[in-house]
Amino acid sequence: MADYVYGPGRTHLFVPGPVNIPDPVIRAMNRQNEDYRSPAVPALTKILLEDVKKIFKTTSGTPFIIPTTGTGAWESALTNTLSPGDRIVSFLIGQFSLLWIDQQQRLGFNVDVVDCEWGRGADLDVLEAKLRQDTAHTIKAIAIVHNETATGVTNNLATVRKLLDAYRHPALVLVDGVSSICALDFRMDEWGVDVALTGSQKALSMPTGLGIVCASPKALEASKTAKSVRVFFDWKDYLKFYKMGTYWPYTPSIQLLYGLRAALDLLEEEGLDNVINRHTRLGTATRLAVEAWGLKNCTQKEEWFSNTVTAVVVPSYIDSGEVVKHAWKRYNLSLGLGLNKIAGKVFRIGHLGNLNELQLLGCLSGVEMVLKDVGYPVKLGSGVAAAAAYLSNSTPLIPSRI
Amino acid sequence: MADYVYGPGRTHLFVPGPVNIPDPVIRAMNRQNEDYRSPAVPALTKILLEDVKKIFKTTSGTPFIIPTTGTGAWESALTNTLSPGDRIVSFLIGQFSLLWIDQQQRLGFNVDVVDCEWGRGADLDVLEAKLRQDTAHTIKAIAIVHNETATGVTNNLATVRKLLDAYRHPALVLVDGVSSICALDFRMDEWGVDVALTGSQKALSMPTGLGIVCASPKALEASKTAKSVRVFFDWKDYLKFYKMGTYWPYTPSIQLLYGLRAALDLLEEEGLDNVINRHTRLGTATRLAVEAWGLKNCTQKEEWFSNTVTAVVVPSYIDSGEVVKHAWKRYNLSLGLGLNKIAGKVFRIGHLGNLNELQLLGCLSGVEMVLKDVGYPVKLGSGVAAAAAYLSNSTPLIPSRI
Amino acid sequence: MADYVYGPGRTHLFVPGPVNIPDPVIRAMNRQNEDYRSPAVPALTKILLEDVKKIFKTTSGTPFIIPTTGTGAWESALTNTLSPGDRIVSFLIGQFSLLWIDQQQRLGFNVDVVDCEWGRGADLDVLEAKLRQDTAHTIKAIAIVHNETATGVTNNLATVRKLLDAYRHPALVLVDGVSSICALDFRMDEWGVDVALTGSQKALSMPTGLGIVCASPKALEASKTAKSVRVFFDWKDYLKFYKMGTYWPYTPSIQLLYGLRAALDLLEEEGLDNVINRHTRLGTATRLAVEAWGLKNCTQKEEWFSNTVTAVVVPSYIDSGEVVKHAWKRYNLSLGLGLNKIAGKVFRIGHLGNLNELQLLGCLSGVEMVLKDVGYPVKLGSGVAAAAAYLSNSTPLIPSRI
Amino acid sequence: MADYVYGPGRTHLFVPGPVNIPDPVIRAMNRQNEDYRSPAVPALTKILLEDVKKIFKTTSGTPFIIPTTGTGAWESALTNTLSPGDRIVSFLIGQFSLLWIDQQQRLGFNVDVVDCEWGRGADLDVLEAKLRQDTAHTIKAIAIVHNETATGVTNNLATVRKLLDAYRHPALVLVDGVSSICALDFRMDEWGVDVALTGSQKALSMPTGLGIVCASPKALEASKTAKSVRVFFDWKDYLKFYKMGTYWPYTPSIQLLYGLRAALDLLEEEGLDNVINRHTRLGTATRLAVEAWGLKNCTQKEEWFSNTVTAVVVPSYIDSGEVVKHAWKRYNLSLGLGLNKIAGKVFRIGHLGNLNELQLLGCLSGVEMVLKDVGYPVKLGSGVAAAAAYLSNSTPLIPSRI
């Protein structure tokens, strides 16, 4: 197995998840199991539950740290707040919104799908029309990805909130923040998000294994009457153990708890807003490179540009799958594939999580060489130059080193 | 946080899960994330899926390695094979069978509970009576824990199979092997088990995070018509990705995959039957110590003695919770609490997973000192002497060192 | 290779070095290289040099953290303070004092060897006689091991100081504290020790790789005129870099520096005096076990009993090498061999470093079984019982858990 | 301490040592201590001693793996083969040859220094003249660095051998291969090198801590009569333990032994010649970038270009120390300082060890931004473009991924 993956030097991991783990997090997780019923683990958990709220920018929310993935976090958000047959307005804008909608349908909800072109954001005009018509409040929830990982599109959640307020509509707002939280500006309380969720392997920069779900008071209230069948994902069990002060209805991963502690410490040290600025910087630099290469961003308008992932459209005579394969085979560079409808047409550069400027520039330089390899007439150095020109003006000194 | 748990020397972890992780497994998991869509991770997964069958002693089963805990594995076993309202015969013999029954009920099944005294095994006479009467085959499944972790009781699965065969009853056999598989003799194919499951943090000696579920061909067939609502736990999604050769419907933990590889390699090196023999040895030694202390085993008959956990009954004038608390506070020794009905009455010694003779003897010596501390007139050294007398005759040389 | 050493469960490491490393130290060392000329490493080093003085109980000493072993630390102590032909009084009481004397001779000093029976401490009456006679102060240094690891003998350094003071003798006192510092009561300033040294893999509970040498002002003064040829071990180079604030004349191990930081933090947390008390406790318990087994301690008098290592004399019909071999082959227990003169006659139990009561009791129980295996009529449980009786009365609660 | 060094993302380590450690080596070292006198460690050592010869390209040499640094390895090479007063011809071409010469002088040898301009290679014409004149064979050794790390100069060892052969001169050839072995073409046997040495933290890509010295049969023979005082570094002690099959005269670092095992495995997997080719590629790419920036290489002629480190001369109006400081403070990039004579005038890019193309390109892009920051009118992207143009043509597919 070792043989198969071995390449000298560091792997350049630029898929939009799982992402690079900081060394202090790896170190923190390098440990034995512990008895989770001893006083130590609840003490650790108590503080984690308090601190993890910060990544959602919430003070009123209740977080659940669930041993699962983003897919499980989705299921937790839906089944705890809704009953079979409930109407959900959902926006189909890429592969991950598609998968979530598929889940919503299989869980028995009445999904009112707003289908949009891939590369565009959620059509909020359609949402407005639906809210206007829905005086009977048949819409129980709006389900929306904050950032569609397949196309690099960021939706405007503030507008969603404004529309709901404008129509005094009580629908719950369920947000997939998997590729946004800890990287993009996300404001659970201010935007009136009812359930927000992410996975540990995304911008938190940890291994896969934690689905982190945060519920507003309104969502918690809804969970009392929601009739969807659930046990493993049931918030009730967590709340019962929260009250008892033991916190865990079933065995948590000791390693991931200590890893989360370290990850939150690093976020605190850098400052969440600095982290978001760093992602803005890296996202902007990437887009400038793409432009310099003469290639198109899959995202159609600047308002939707994502600072965590950029989907790059290749010319029709190139198979984007070849770009990804070649990057891995020749330069130890992992890029994201185009998925489903846009398979072969785009490749993706993930620029989220624990990453800095020179790592990105190394990646961009690698993409240039790969583009040349697959027959695209790129000018080597052009994208790097464009990105560096911007980064050279915008990168701050590392605060701890001033 | 560090302060709170710090004690010099090694923590003596003798809860029945999570258990001690071997150093090579910790080492194997000390790693970065990787792109799970590169060719490397599917190649690794393919072999893991093949090799993991051995811990179930199955060749015809289909394994699912799910990013979840034992509770999620339970849910996976039930929802993929059964429909709401289906009749399940379940045996209530301790806290973990109780929790599983609770899940079965909340998932909407018609649970026919066979209630037994805690400390006794599943009443198979009652099962026989039910099977005899059920000529209409209304019983769709038998759900049974192989080893009840709360009481240290091992059920006889071979007899369950014999009864089903005797009455030519088609009920599915769903087995919770959480505290048995990789430690006790378990034979999926020979015993006609339809779904068997375990968690990574038990006898596999890994961190929490993998629910490993294995389905017989009959269970897979049942999954095609089972109407229970499921998405995250749906085997269909896994099977679809198995066919595509990419294996993962959602992001796996890279670290746990490499950890599982290392854990299976260690099992292979020691030999599964040697592992089982080692557990027999450690279980027997523990019971001899308990006897020497003049205390009672919670397990009422030898036929149910568990080689992975021993629940020790304390005299009525002692609170077993004090034993556990004191062990942790003074000797850095983690023991299992008595749960629910038997809280305060028993404490538990977990002797499963990556453990050897001297570790156990250190633990037993600690238990002796703790018993003395809480006021039980134990003769120090008595249990250790009894255990050592047995171990001294039964422990083989370490094969690699002969 | 893996095959060759593999045994299930934890290795019981009871040689008197290298010893068990605490998990936080292993974690701290799990890291990449860094540029040691960046501002970070000197900043780390500066604090380490300050904090490491505490393990010597000195405020006036100057420490050198040298990338070497104890043997190198010896050489550093000698060559920096003495000139070829200088007279050293040295005590030969076991294998390690023998090796040091061999080094002294090969380095060209005039070694005045005080030969003692192995199992006895340094003969300080002879020292007194020599000092009395040496009115011309031809004795330039007293070289003495604080704790002879081969025989488990602790010398009385306070008496050495008293004698020197009584005779107003200016000889330097050079102390090998390899198996004592951080475990036994050691007072550099109070006892007027001029050079004290230890190795990282002993009671500091780290990997091998650091020779830590501490020089008194008088020793530093002596180094200015000492004519022994030295470069790698020359304190002058260190002092030059100390002054420049860059600290390192050649590349240090980044990993060991962070490991030392963690090790010192743990010492601080437990408290050095508590650490010393813990060693007293474990040493006493071990000796009680040996007595209960009916065996003799190699150390002939209580005043020399070592709390870091116990050398156990086996009956003449037993080869102590067999004890060691058997312990490793059957019980994954590493004991120390008898060395040189006492090869075959003693085996050694190291009880120093990061170790607690139950680990020791597990070891003692293992020794009992091994003794039985090699034909010694031990009563199983007898040593454990004696040790536990003592430990049960003397072990404090873990302070952080009260 | 953590605060002080923290910067988001990966540190870009481009000093010429210590270098980046591959993850498998870090993993292999993440382990407990072991008894080095058990049968396992000698078995491991035996194979290591055999395999380590390959990095020297020798079959007749005898390697010593010494717990020390490069400075200690130098001392070992000198003191084992020479006697005080012996004449050594040494070439002063930069800071590291200067330090070695300083050591030679302090060890009491008669050093015949051939002083050359920094930036030029050893003047072999002078060597020839000296050999020609030395018919009495007063020259006992030629001491030469294969690669001067301070200036990025590689000396031609084949020519040294040719000259010695031409004059049938018996002088020993002692080679500092610290920044060459495992990275540059080095042929101990073919070039008749008598002692070659390196340190673990250089191209072997491990932590600091092992000085690896390899002695030819002629050097071993010389060691029998060499009169330099030595104990810690004495080969005799090693040879004595080699013969006994226990291998270690004093305690080795268990962690570094397993790390060396992993490092040698990776070298074997990539193939030493492929490793050397990779260094050629990275060195060439770096030089092309320097040229594109309009800067001068400190190395004056192509014949001396080093493939492990490039010293870049900055214009006189720039302080190269600022380049290094700024790189660290703003871009988390560690570059090498100019040392001694060339302090302030050059900065160094280390491109040795476990490194690949995109890492280097990220570094080069960082250097460009730093140059701009300190006021040099660099065209951003120019160096990267030049390097990438070359790498894009010369980088092979990763063999294990074809």
Side-chain angles (χ1 to χ4, degrees), chain C residues 139-218:
Chain C
I139 300 173
K140 296 302 176 202
I142 316 292
I144 185 166
V145 299
H146 186 200
N147 187 77
E148 170 56 64
T149 316
T151 56
V153 161
T154 304
N155 284 316
N156 191 330
L157 300 180
T159 301
V160 172
R161 169 50 48 204
K162 249 180 255 158
L163 294 174
L164 283 164
D165 286 352
Y167 294 95
R168 299 177 185 251
H169 198 290
L172 294 165
V173 179
L174 312 182
V175 176
D176 166 341
V178 168
S179 61
S180 78
I181 286 167
C182 290
L184 306 183
D185 188 22
F186 180 82
R187 311 177 186 198
M188 182 162 180
D189 284 2
E190 189 179 328
W191 296 341
V193 171
D194 291 300
V195 186
L197 62 91
T198 187
S200 50
Q201 82 279 17
K202 297 285 180 166
L204 260 173
S205 300
M206 293 175 56
T208 307
L210 301 180
I212 306 181
V213 178
C214 197
S216 74
K218 188 169 148 194

Side-chain angles (χ1 to χ4, degrees), chain B residues 185-310:
Chain B
D185 188 22
F186 181 81
R187 311 178 186 197
M188 183 163 178
D189 284 1
E190 186 180 329
W191 295 342
V193 172
D194 291 300
V195 187
L197 60 92
T198 188
S200 49
Q201 82 278 18
K202 297 285 179 167
L204 259 172
S205 300
M206 292 175 57
T208 307
L210 301 180
I212 306 181
V213 178
C214 198
S216 73
K218 189 170 148 195
L220 277 193
E221 199 54 37
S223 76
K224 293 179 185 163
T225 54
K227 292 197 175 56
S228 293
V229 168
R230 64 198 180 271
V231 181
F232 182 76
F233 291 117
D234 200 338
W235 297 346
K236 228 184 340 264
D237 297 280
Y238 280 86
L239 293 171
K240 184 176 131 198
F241 282 83
Y242 286 6
K243 208 165 279 173
M244 288 162 48
T246 52
Y247 291 103
W248 296 105
Y250 31 73
T251 321
S253 162
I254 297 299
Q255 291 73 21
L256 288 172
L257 292 187
Y258 282 97
L260 179 57
R261 180 67 269 157
L264 293 175
D265 286 345
L266 290 179
L267 278 176
E268 177 77 19
E269 183 160 357
E270 187 175 359
L272 184 52
D273 287 334
N274 291 331
V275 171
I276 292 167
N277 290 343
R278 178 164 52 79
H279 281 86
T280 305
R281 212 152 63 227
L282 298 180
T284 306
T286 305
R287 290 188 292 271
L288 288 166
V290 172
E291 205 182 302
W293 297 332
L295 291 174
K296 254 186 49 185
N297 193 323
C298 175
T299 314
Q300 297 188 5
K301 284 193 183 169
E302 193 175 335
E303 59 174 299
W304 299 314
F305 279 165
S306 164
N307 286 328
T308 55
V309 57
T310 299

Side-chain angles (χ1 to χ4, degrees), chain C residues 233-309:
Chain C
F233 291 118
D234 200 338
W235 297 346
K236 227 183 343 260
D237 297 280
Y238 281 86
L239 293 170
K240 182 177 133 196
F241 283 84
Y242 286 5
K243 208 166 277 174
M244 289 164 47
T246 52
Y247 292 103
W248 296 106
Y250 30 73
T251 320
S253 161
I254 299 299
Q255 291 73 20
L256 288 172
L257 293 187
Y258 281 97
L260 179 58
R261 181 66 270 161
L264 293 175
D265 286 346
L266 290 179
L267 278 176
E268 176 76 18
E269 183 160 357
E270 187 174 358
L272 183 52
D273 287 334
N274 291 331
V275 171
I276 292 166
N277 290 342
R278 177 162 55 77
H279 281 86
T280 305
R281 212 152 62 230
L282 298 180
T284 306
T286 305
R287 290 188 291 271
L288 287 167
V290 172
E291 203 183 303
W293 298 331
L295 291 175
K296 254 186 49 186
N297 193 323
C298 175
T299 315
Q300 296 188 7
K301 283 193 183 170
E302 193 174 335
E303 57 173 301
W304 299 314
F305 279 166
S306 163
N307 286 327
T308 56
V309 57

Side-chain angles (χ1 to χ4, degrees), chain C residues 353-371:
Chain C
N354 186 55
L355 211 58
N356 60 28
E357 289 76 15
L358 302 200
Q359 286 176 279
L360 180 69
L361 291 167
C363 163
L364 295 177
S365 183
V367 172
E368 294 182 354
M369 295 195 291
V370 173
L371 287 171

Side-chain angles (χ1 to χ4, degrees), chain A residues 3 5 330 395 400-401, chain D residues 3 5 10 330 395 400-401:
Chain A
D3 282 14
V5 298
R330 194 173 188 201
T395 305
S400 61
R401 298 185 183 177
Chain D
D3 282 13
V5 299
R10 183 153 177 89
R330 194 172 189 201
T395 306
S400 61
R401 298 186 182 177

Side-chain angles (χ1 to χ4, degrees), chain B residues 2-12 22-24 30 266-267 269-270 278 326-333 354-359 361-363 365-369 372-373 379-382 384-385 387-402, chain C residues 2-12 22-24 30 266-267 269-270 278 326-333 354-359 361-363 365-369 372-373 379-382 384-385 387-402:
Chain B
D3 284 13
Y4 189 58
V5 299
Y6 181 71
R10 184 154 176 87
T11 297
H12 302 269
D23 288 354
N30 183 44
L266 290 179
L267 278 176
E269 183 160 357
E270 187 175 359
R278 178 164 52 79
H326 208 80
W328 189 73
K329 284 193 167 183
R330 194 174 188 200
Y331 298 109
N332 210 347
L333 169 63
N354 186 56
L355 212 59
N356 59 29
E357 290 75 15
L358 301 200
Q359 286 175 278
L361 290 167
C363 163
S365 183
V367 171
E368 293 182 356
M369 294 195 290
K372 187 186 156 215
D373 287 342
K379 191 180 157 220
L380 291 177
S382 60
V384 171
Y390 167 74
L391 290 172
S392 164
N393 286 324
S394 61
T395 304
L397 292 177
I398 298 170
S400 60
R401 298 185 182 177
I402 294 174
Chain C
D3 284 11
Y4 188 58
V5 299
Y6 182 70
R10 184 153 177 88
T11 297
H12 302 270
D23 288 353
N30 183 44
L266 290 179
L267 278 176
E269 183 160 357
E270 187 174 358
R278 177 162 55 77
H326 209 80
W328 189 73
K329 284 193 167 184
R330 193 174 189 202
Y331 297 109
N332 209 347
L333 168 63
N354 186 55
L355 211 58
N356 60 28
E357 289 76 15
L358 302 200
Q359 286 176 279
L361 291 167
C363 163
S365 183
V367 172
E368 294 182 354
M369 295 195 291
K372 187 184 155 216
D373 286 343
K379 191 181 157 220
L380 292 177
S382 60
V384 172
Y390 167 74
L391 290 173
S392 164
N393 286 325
S394 61
T395 305
L397 291 177
I398 297 170
S400 61
R401 298 186 182 178
I402 293 175

